[in-house]
Amino acid sequence: GDSVTQTEGQVTVSESKSLIINCTYSATSIAYPNLFWYVRYPGEGLQLLLKVITAGQKGSSRGFEATYNKETTSFHLQKASVQESDSAVYYCALSDNNNRIFFGDGTQLVVKP
Amino acid sequence: GGIITQTPKFLIGQEGQKLTLKCQQNFNHDTMYWYRQDSGKGLRLIYYSITENDLQKGDLSEGYDASREKKSSFSLTVTSAQKNEMAVFLCASSITGTTNERLFFGHGTKLSVL
């Protein structure tokens, strides 16, 4: 079946340093799934951060970027310089061609001042 | 903008009890979802519905029933609560199959079973 893997349960980064959160996917029901990053800030509901629907394209939002890499089946989330306000839980997700959306286990980002 | 409302926010049940969670959306979205999230884990799909009166099973449907009697509402029933079960149930809605595809989530119902 389709699935998403996030290998890091928690990532700790000092403020103003760069960040990468890893995401790989497996899609058997669809050749080119849509890929998403969702975020949950403390005390808030889960919300979309960015999405990419075309292989090879990059999505960006709030200084975060992710590139849809079909060859490595990856969709890593990156930011050049994190801020304390970026502390949150980040979820990678994909959608198949049956309206189902699958999530990874999430990565807690802790930004140290 | 729209909103997704989940009731109740907190639900405490007894082992073996049937428990119902409700979700309302005013986005006029066709597709609605129920996910379960255990502590420190990702979201697992229980049921989804692509239109009124439609039901589709997710990977975690055993032990649950769902109902989509109106476009705007989607309810989930835990058919027999398991002792010491604790999880958050998230409802979401979406326009799917288009370039506008994204999920909008409610704030969740936190379930505890005594």
Side-chain angles (χ1 to χ4, degrees):
Chain A
D2 300 332
S3 65
V4 176
T5 301
Q6 294 177 244
T7 53
E8 305 115 335
Q10 181 171 308
V11 171
T12 301
V13 181
S14 296
E15 196 167 26
S16 80
K17 298 299 185 185
S18 64
L19 165 74
I20 182 164
I21 296 177
N22 293 309
C23 171
T24 56
Y25 69 89
S26 171
T28 56
S29 69
I30 184 172
Y32 294 93
N34 293 347
L35 299 177
F36 308 83
W37 278 100
Y38 284 83
V39 59
R40 179 184 283 134
Y41 296 104
E44 297 185 19
L46 200 54
Q47 58 187 281
L48 180 69
L49 177 63
L50 60 85
K51 72 174 187 184
V52 180
I53 64 173
T54 304
Q57 297 295 309
K58 180 192 292 185
S60 60
S61 174
R62 305 182 201 182
F64 289 89
E65 296 181 336
T67 300
Y68 189 160
N69 190 320
K70 172 69 173 171
E71 286 70 38
T72 58
T73 62
S74 66
F75 191 55
H76 306 319
L77 184 67
Q78 301 185 70
K79 190 172 187 183
S81 175
V82 297
Q83 303 169 342
E84 257 193 282
S85 58
D86 293 325
S87 294
V89 183
Y90 293 82
Y91 296 89
C92 186
L94 71 79
S95 64
D96 69 7
N97 60 355
N98 290 312
N99 296 308
R100 296 180 301 180
I101 300 176
F102 298 90
F103 287 80
D105 283 348
T107 298
Q108 170 105 44
L109 171 63
V110 176
V111 179
K112 295 168 73 172
Chain B
I3 190 169
I4 294 185
T5 303
Q6 290 188 239
T7 55
K9 285 188 172 59
F10 300 95
L11 184 56
I12 299 176
Q14 302 286 335
E15 184 182 11
Q17 193 176 2
K18 181 188 281 191
L19 302 167
T20 298
L21 293 68
K22 294 187 183 296
C23 177
Q24 296 269 345
Q25 55 102 355
N26 63 0
F27 290 99
N28 199 35
H29 285 162
D30 289 316
T31 309
M32 295 185 74
Y33 301 81
W34 276 107
Y35 285 92
R36 173 183 167 128
Q37 186 169 30
D38 293 277
S39 181
K41 295 293 187 183
L43 283 68
R44 291 185 289 170
L45 185 62
I46 307 172
Y47 268 98
Y48 66 107
S49 166
I50 61 174
T51 189
E52 186 177 325
N53 292 320
D54 173 73
L55 289 176
Q56 309 279 342
K57 291 184 178 182
D59 294 333
L60 204 64
S61 61
E62 189 170 335
Y64 301 94
D65 287 328
S67 174
R68 183 96 183 271
E69 293 176 351
K70 293 191 302 184
K71 186 176 183 178
S72 61
S73 66
F74 193 30
S75 63
L76 180 73
T77 297
V78 180
T79 56
S80 178
Q82 301 298 305
K83 188 175 175 62
N84 297 323
E85 181 176 6
M86 279 184 66
V88 175
F89 292 84
L90 293 170
C91 177
S93 71
S94 177
I95 302 170
T96 53
T98 73
T99 56
N100 290 324
E101 180 180 20
R102 59 177 287 189
L103 288 177
F104 292 83
F105 283 89
H107 280 80
T109 292
K110 189 169 185 177
L111 171 67
S112 298
V113 181
L114 304 177

